[in-house]
Amino acid sequence: MDYFHLNRSPDEIRAISNLGLAHVGDGVYELMVRSWLCIHGKATNRGLHKATVQYVAAPAQARAAEKILPLLTQEEADVFRRGRNTSPHTVPKAASREEYQTATAVEALFGYLYLSGETARLRELFDEAMTA
């Protein structure tokens, strides 16, 4: 199986829990941020990890959600909503519960799009999220 170019069926993706989608999406989002930082020279080698954390932390993902929410299709908004409604067992100290749930929603959406093979849509939403 080519894990870089997935195109899973809607039924296969529906079988994955919201937290499962968020787990995949967390990795996808972080890889995109790391790539973006390196390509755009946004951080030195020593500062790459710190810069990455600034973009992937829950408060930053919650701010990214504000930028992409108006662009979502109904299907994407449904995935986002389901991800946001997932109840976390713990919330990091650096984030509010609302920020953490919104970050989980962003990750679930990115996991959904990745597993669906929607890489062009991932790029579009990511580019919007990274605008200043």
Side-chain angles (χ1 to χ4, degrees):
M1 179 175 298
D2 180 357
Y3 288 99
F4 289 105
H5 303 97
L6 294 174
N7 190 9
R8 310 317 303 166
S9 73
D11 286 340
E12 288 176 295
I13 295 171
R14 274 192 291 277
I16 300 171
S17 71
N18 294 328
L19 287 177
L21 290 176
H23 179 71
V24 171
D26 178 48
V28 170
Y29 195 85
E30 184 164 339
L31 180 59
M32 292 179 85
V33 166
R34 288 175 179 225
S35 300
W36 184 83
L37 287 169
C38 290
I39 290 167
H40 291 93
K42 296 287 187 180
T44 63
N45 288 341
R46 296 175 102 193
L48 282 172
H49 176 72
K50 186 176 180 180
T52 300
V53 170
Q54 289 177 344
Y55 285 99
V56 300
Q61 286 184 341
R63 288 189 301 275
E66 292 174 15
K67 296 176 186 177
I68 66 172
L69 272 172
L71 306 174
L72 299 184
T73 66
Q74 186 60 51
E75 184 177 348
E76 292 165 348
D78 290 345
V79 172
F80 184 92
R81 187 183 68 260
R82 286 193 306 269
R84 188 185 55 221
N85 290 340
T86 301
S87 296
H89 295 293
T90 59
V91 175
K93 286 185 260 183
S96 70
R97 183 176 188 82
E98 182 180 339
E99 287 172 328
Y100 190 68
Q101 286 180 281
T102 301
T104 301
V106 169
E107 292 169 350
L109 176 62
F110 273 61
Y112 168 82
L113 292 170
Y114 172 75
L115 292 171
S116 299
E118 298 288 336
T119 55
R121 185 64 172 152
L122 268 173
R123 280 192 311 270
E124 182 182 337
L125 294 176
F126 181 78
D127 286 346
E128 185 63 30
M130 298 306 280
T131 59

